[in-house]
Amino acid sequence: MYNSEMSNCLVHNCSILATITPNVSGGGIYSNNSTIDNCEIYNNNSQNSAGGVILLGTSIIRNSKIYGNTANNNGGGLACNQSTFVFNSLIENNTSYSYGGGSYAGQFINCIIANNSAYIGGGIYDPNLVEYATIVNNAVSNNCSGIALGAGKIRYSTIWGNKGGTTQLSQINGLGSFDY
């Protein structure tokens, strides 16, 4: 579903699966200022960024599952900007051959980010907010298996069992904060 020109779309109660995008980002969905609600986005492949979903502008994902997607660049499951909110969702078993196996950027509230893999940031790369989330069993081939944190905040979350690299959590520019 490629929708970069339209905005304020609602994708509700859908399954987006088994698509391949050879020259553009967003294997399953590419959209702007949109809401994805109660959807499954799985087994998609992008030869660029965002194997499952790329969202631009102020967007929302809620009560959804993003799994089994692959991207050659950033965001195996999801690539977005810091204005995208993800609520009550599962992001698992996604692969990025660059940054962010589960997601590249975004804000995550009450989510599970599990079993993703990437070069750096197996779970999430450069999130703006991670709150009441579980980041577990993600893997990297280089550094920072759980979260590679930029200037964002991590609050009241569990980060454990992530593999590879040197840390479960690392700051990529030293500006992020943690509340336990």
Side-chain angles (χ1 to χ4, degrees):
M1 185 177 124
Y2 188 81
N3 184 26
S4 66
E5 298 303 318
M6 298 177 70
S7 62
N8 300 315
C9 293
L10 171 63
V11 181
H12 180 67
N13 288 337
C14 290
S15 292
I16 311 283
L17 67 138
T19 60
I20 298 172
T21 56
N23 297 315
V24 296
S25 296
I29 296 175
Y30 186 120
S31 196
N32 188 22
N33 295 322
S34 296
T35 298
I36 296 172
D37 180 50
N38 200 36
C39 292
E40 289 190 42
I41 298 137
Y42 62 99
N43 297 341
N44 299 290
N45 184 295
S46 172
Q47 300 299 310
N48 203 334
S49 294
V53 181
I54 188 166
L55 290 175
L56 305 174
T58 302
S59 296
I60 296 170
I61 297 173
R62 63 179 171 237
N63 304 318
S64 295
K65 296 178 183 176
I66 300 171
Y67 59 94
N69 301 289
T70 303
N72 283 356
N73 292 318
N74 301 331
L78 168 66
C80 55
N81 59 28
Q82 302 296 14
S83 300
T84 297
F85 286 88
V86 183
F87 299 100
N88 306 319
S89 294
L90 174 67
I91 300 174
E92 73 173 342
N93 296 320
N94 300 289
T95 301
S96 165
Y97 295 106
S98 188
Y99 300 103
S103 180
Y104 184 91
Q107 300 189 52
F108 302 86
I109 295 109
N110 198 34
C111 293
I112 297 173
I113 315 292
N115 303 308
N116 300 288
S117 63
Y119 180 68
I120 296 175
I124 309 170
Y125 184 87
D126 197 20
N128 194 37
L129 175 67
V130 177
E131 187 172 75
Y132 300 105
T134 300
I135 314 300
V136 61
N137 293 333
N138 299 287
V140 293
S141 58
N142 186 349
N143 194 13
C144 192
S145 56
I147 299 175
L149 183 66
K153 294 180 183 178
I154 298 175
R155 300 173 47 169
Y156 318 115
S157 295
T158 303
I159 303 168
W160 63 276
N162 298 290
K163 304 166 195 76
T166 57
T167 62
Q168 299 273 327
L169 169 67
S170 69
Q171 290 187 283
I172 52 178
N173 67 15
L175 300 174
S177 67
F178 312 93
D179 291 331
Y180 297 98

